[in-house]
Structures are given as structure tokens and as C-alpha cells.
């Protein structure tokens, strides 16, 4: 069993070049097609990286409530979204509402900070 674990460890740690060389050897000497070999060899490595790939890359900025400085929040929402004054007011009055969707984490954090400084309650999802 320990030998199989060591072998599995070696397979997981192969470089792309080594995987390609292994695929060629399996094809030439054993008649195994490279696509099947590449999937079999690369499978565990892809599984090991899967949690990192699931990290969220886009975020939604949700205006939970306007807070005590509603006028300042309406003006800021107008500036941040490009909406007209009436549309910005309607968005703030309808809170909780999605302010921006699918933005990068840095942009979402910056929007949240600005809105909170104006008195709003903001959530990032």
C-alpha cells in the first residue's frame, strides 16, 4: 500500500512536460492513447487544485439600507451607477437592492467603503 501511495504522489507531482512524455511512452510501448493517459495522469492533479479554482472572482454589491444620511447615499449611488437622480432615489428607497453585480473584489470593497462612509449599510455577496 505504501508503494502505491508513493507512486500516486509521484503522478500528482508530474510537470506538464513529464505528463506528455509519459503519454508518449504509454502510446508507443503499451498502445494506450495519449488522451486517456493524460486524463488518467492529470485527473488527481486537477482534483487537488479544485478548491482554489472554486474561489469566487466576481461579487455583487447589495445596498441593505440608506442609513441616516439618505440624501448623501442617493447622490453617491447616482454617481457610482450613472443612474439619473430619480432612478438612484428609487433604488435607495427600495433597499435592500443590488447596486452592482459581477464586479471584481477590489471594486466591490471600494464601493462598499464609499457607501458606508456616506452612511449606508452595504453587503457584498
Amino acid at each position: 500500500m505504501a508503494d502505491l501511495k508513493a507512486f500516486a504522489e509521484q503522478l500528482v507531482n508530474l510537470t506538464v512536460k513529464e505528463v506528455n512524455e509519459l503519454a508518449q511512452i504509454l502510446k508507443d510501448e503499451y498502445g494506450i492513447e495519449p488522451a486517456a493517459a493524460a486524463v488518467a495522469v492529470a485527473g488527481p492533479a486537477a482534483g487537488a487544485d479544485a478548491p482554489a479554482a472554486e474561489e469566487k472572482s466576481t461579487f455583487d454589491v447589495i445596498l441593505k439600507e440608506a442609513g441616516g444620511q439618505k440624501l448623501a447615499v442617493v447622490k453617491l449611488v447616482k454617481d457610482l451607477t450613472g443612474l439619473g437622480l430619480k432612478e438612484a432615489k428609487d433604488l435607495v428607497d427600495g433597499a435592500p437592492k443590488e447596486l452592482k453585480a459581477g464586479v471584481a473584489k477590489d471594486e466591490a470593497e471600494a464601493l462598499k467603503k464609499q457607501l458606508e462612509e456616506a452612511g449606508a449599510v452595504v453587503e457584498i455577496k
Side-chain angles (χ1 to χ4, degrees):
M1 187 73 161
D3 291 335
L4 288 177
K5 284 190 174 199
F7 179 66
E9 182 75 23
Q10 288 175 333
L11 284 175
V12 169
N13 291 320
L14 289 176
T15 64
V16 173
K17 182 180 178 187
E18 291 169 330
V19 169
N20 286 332
E21 289 175 15
L22 177 60
Q24 193 62 43
I25 291 169
L26 290 173
K27 179 181 177 188
D28 294 344
E29 295 184 20
Y30 300 101
I32 299 172
E33 289 298 313
V39 169
V41 173
D49 293 339
E54 292 176 12
E55 186 175 319
K56 194 170 181 178
S57 60
T58 61
F59 298 86
D60 299 337
V61 180
I62 311 294
L63 177 66
K64 299 294 276 182
E65 60 183 73
Q69 301 287 330
K70 184 177 171 185
L71 184 58
V73 173
V74 169
K75 287 180 180 180
L76 184 58
V77 167
K78 177 184 174 293
D79 292 340
L80 294 174
T81 61
L83 294 172
L85 187 58
K86 182 181 180 340
E87 291 83 7
K89 181 183 179 299
D90 290 345
L91 191 147
V92 171
D93 287 342
K97 282 275 196 183
E98 183 178 271
L99 188 63
K100 283 205 173 187
V103 297
K105 185 175 183 176
D106 294 341
E107 183 180 351
E109 291 291 338
L111 289 170
K112 180 179 179 183
K113 182 179 177 192
Q114 288 178 319
L115 288 161
E116 286 177 344
E117 286 174 357
V121 177
V122 181
E123 177 182 16
I124 297 177
K125 288 188 178 183

